[in-house]
Amino acid sequence: MYEIPLTSPILTAGRAHFVRNSGYYLKSPFEKINSVVKLAKKKPILHADLIEGLRNDEYAAEYLSQIVRPAGIVSTRAGVIAKVKQNGLLAIQRLFLLDTNALEKSYPMFEKTKPDFIEVLPGIIPHMISEVYERTGIPICAGGLVRTAGDVERAIEAGAAAVTTSNRELWKHTGRDDRRMPASSPPATG
């Protein structure tokens, strides 16, 4: 694994938004992915579940990993995360906090897939951010319904290593430190 220069505990999301110093977090139609990646000044993090025209499965993850070569891939699917990890890219597994049963079933999955990050959605429930981090030891991205600087601060204070938001005003807002960022990650320059 490789060192990523990280400058602040905020990660922004949405269409072609900056992701710390490491790249972009993108969702685009499949036919545009290669050209968008080539035009990007930084390596993107692709959201596999949201790429229009591409099935979200292990074959798609292999294609994206080998042909497109983003910095990383986001997905809810364990098989996709496993394939991304196998290819040495940053793997971000999404966790939707639907209910206790779904949450409890997620913990064994995280133990198996060992993603680099877990994106907890919605990211505005501080005690759940803390719990997921404490139970897994995996750095947390807090995302979904993050609307204010206070939401960002509460997520960081709860232990989130990063926060995702499509709110452009919050992209400039940074938290306090990088206390829960992994020491190493796949290369993110390009």
Side-chain angles (χ1 to χ4, degrees):
M1 299 304 246
Y2 304 90
E3 220 32 58
I4 282 184
L6 300 171
T7 58
S8 68
I10 188 160
L11 175 137
T12 59
R15 285 190 183 269
H17 304 312
F18 290 94
V19 177
R20 312 190 106 218
N21 264 353
S22 59
Y24 302 91
Y25 184 89
L26 297 174
K27 64 175 192 166
S28 292
F30 173 70
E31 70 273 5
K32 295 181 182 178
I33 288 294
N34 271 333
S35 60
V36 169
V37 169
K38 287 177 184 173
L39 292 173
K41 293 179 182 171
K42 298 181 180 188
K43 285 267 195 169
I45 296 174
L46 301 177
H47 194 309
D49 299 358
L50 301 178
I51 298 173
E52 297 169 16
L54 186 67
R55 185 172 175 184
N56 185 20
D57 62 12
E58 293 82 1
Y59 298 105
E62 183 73 23
Y63 173 83
L64 291 171
S65 297
Q66 294 294 318
I67 305 301
V68 180
R69 295 295 303 163
I73 295 176
V74 179
S75 181
T76 56
R77 296 181 40 102
V80 170
I81 295 300
K83 186 58 73 175
V84 170
K85 296 281 291 181
Q86 184 180 46
N87 279 284
L89 301 179
L90 185 70
I92 303 172
Q93 192 158 9
R94 290 187 121 191
L95 167 63
F96 290 95
L97 298 173
L98 302 175
D99 59 28
T100 300
N101 188 39
L103 176 62
E104 290 301 321
K105 286 181 179 180
S106 296
Y107 290 126
M109 178 182 58
F110 296 138
E111 181 63 32
K112 181 180 174 187
T113 61
K114 298 186 183 337
D116 297 300
F117 285 89
I118 297 169
E119 185 177 17
V120 174
L121 297 114
I124 55 170
I125 309 173
H127 70 278
M128 294 310 304
I129 293 167
S130 296
E131 177 185 318
V132 173
Y133 178 73
E134 288 167 10
R135 294 267 311 261
T136 65
I138 297 169
I140 304 298
C141 296
L145 301 176
V146 176
R147 297 179 178 168
T148 68
D151 291 339
V152 173
E153 289 297 324
R154 285 185 289 281
I156 298 297
E157 288 168 6
V163 175
T164 63
T165 182
S166 57
N167 181 334
R168 289 178 179 259
E169 292 301 312
L170 295 180
W171 295 353
K172 299 173 204 137
H173 185 78
T174 59
R176 296 194 175 97
D177 62 34
D178 287 340
R179 63 183 172 254
R180 293 192 177 163
M181 294 302 294
S184 61
S185 300
T189 58

